[in-house]
Amino acid sequence: MNFTANRNVLRWVIIAFAMIITALILWNTYEFFQQLKESEQKNMKEYEIAIDDLVNQSLDAEMGNLGSTVTENTTTIPMIEVNYKGDMKARNLPEHIMNDTLKLRSLIDEYASQNEPIRINYDGEPFQTIYYGESPIITKMKYFPMALLLILVLFGAVIWFFYRSTKELVSKISFGQVWLKRVLTR
């Protein structure tokens, strides 16, 4: 089989195949990212319902474990709870941020732009507002496609440099062979 005659066709087929695989990986990453984001928003909706049930439960009612289990198991999503007095309580954030009121206020603005705040009412009056952001895994997933493209570019550069150096080496070898044939035939 003669591969050298169809080298350009083969090269373009390989490039097209690599582009298709890259596009599929990027598409699946995007789909995974969207599913993960929807899952976290569902978790926050469950958290909102659990907090609302806990706050609005009468004092003589029997408390179940579901509300407290849901609120305790929400450990990956950073959130800031602001009560009706304006007191702030942060969860799932680094310690140095939890103690910095200015940083918490700037995070409240950032979280409010990312997601709709959760408002908890007690007896029809506003009791607490919960601002929440994206979990660290979602933040990291945002950069995955860029890292994948960077790896693809670097891999392409290595192939290109290999191709160029091989082409130069082959031309030098063939030049040497032609020169050697000329010398030997004299």
Side-chain angles (χ1 to χ4, degrees), residues 169-182:
L169 183 63
V170 167
S171 69
K172 287 178 182 178
I173 290 172
S174 60
F175 176 74
Q177 288 175 348
V178 169
W179 182 79
L180 185 60
K181 281 183 185 179
R182 285 186 181 167

Side-chain angles (χ1 to χ4, degrees), residues 8-24:
N8 270 346
V9 174
L10 182 62
R11 187 179 309 139
W12 284 109
V13 167
I14 290 172
I15 289 171
F17 187 68
M19 295 297 269
I20 289 170
I21 288 174
T22 303
L24 288 173

Side-chain angles (χ1 to χ4, degrees), residues 28-39:
N28 284 330
T29 302
Y30 174 77
E31 288 294 319
F32 176 69
F33 176 74
Q34 292 302 324
Q35 289 173 358
L36 187 62
K37 198 168 184 176
E38 287 174 13
S39 173

Side-chain angles (χ1 to χ4, degrees), residues 112-164:
S113 68
Q114 286 178 359
N115 300 302
E116 183 69 28
I118 298 171
R119 300 190 194 320
I120 306 295
N121 295 322
Y122 177 71
D123 287 337
E125 297 293 320
F127 179 71
Q128 187 177 41
T129 304
I130 302 171
Y131 301 90
Y132 64 99
E134 296 173 342
S135 69
I137 187 97
I138 286 186
T139 304
K140 290 175 186 170
M141 285 292 295
K142 284 180 183 178
Y143 301 110
F144 181 75
M146 288 182 276
L148 182 65
L149 288 174
L150 179 64
I151 290 169
L152 182 67
V153 166
L154 292 175
F155 186 66
V158 167
I159 290 173
W160 184 75
F161 285 125
F162 176 75
Y163 172 73
R164 293 283 296 171

